[in-house]
Amino acid sequence: VKEARKAMFSAMISEKVPGRDFLDMDKLAELSDGLSGGEIKNSIVIALSAAVSRKGDLQKVSQKDFEEGIGSTKKAKKDVGRYDYDG
């Protein structure tokens, strides 16, 4: 359910994370429909890693970071098992 996913985002993203106050948790919960708790955690790690890789004031997380993290996680979930490792 959407409320459970929203609660996961709220709990897993520390209040100390710069930029957290500007995140739309409802939108993140909506976009993450179909993801498990572990997959939501993976999307958060991707988003936070993107922010940390930037310099100075740009190290604040953004809504875009999380939306891209969710997108990457959904793509990886869809692509699992589609690779031919014999080639």
Side-chain angles (χ1 to χ4, degrees), residues 25-67:
M25 298 292 182
D26 285 312
K27 174 89 176 195
L28 297 178
E30 185 179 310
L31 291 172
S32 62
D33 186 34
L35 296 182
S36 69
E39 292 163 340
I40 288 173
K41 183 177 181 179
N42 289 345
S43 69
I44 291 170
V45 169
I46 291 167
L48 294 176
S49 296
V52 167
S53 71
R54 297 189 291 260
K55 297 191 185 303
D57 291 341
L58 298 176
Q59 286 187 325
K60 294 179 182 174
V61 295
S62 68
Q63 185 75 19
K64 181 180 176 187
D65 292 328
F66 285 94
E67 291 178 9

Side-chain angles (χ1 to χ4, degrees), residues 61-79:
V61 295
S62 68
Q63 185 75 19
K64 181 180 176 187
D65 292 328
F66 285 94
E67 291 178 9
E68 289 177 357
I70 290 167
S72 294
T73 301
K74 283 188 168 185
K75 182 179 181 329
K77 181 177 181 174
K78 185 177 104 179
D79 290 345

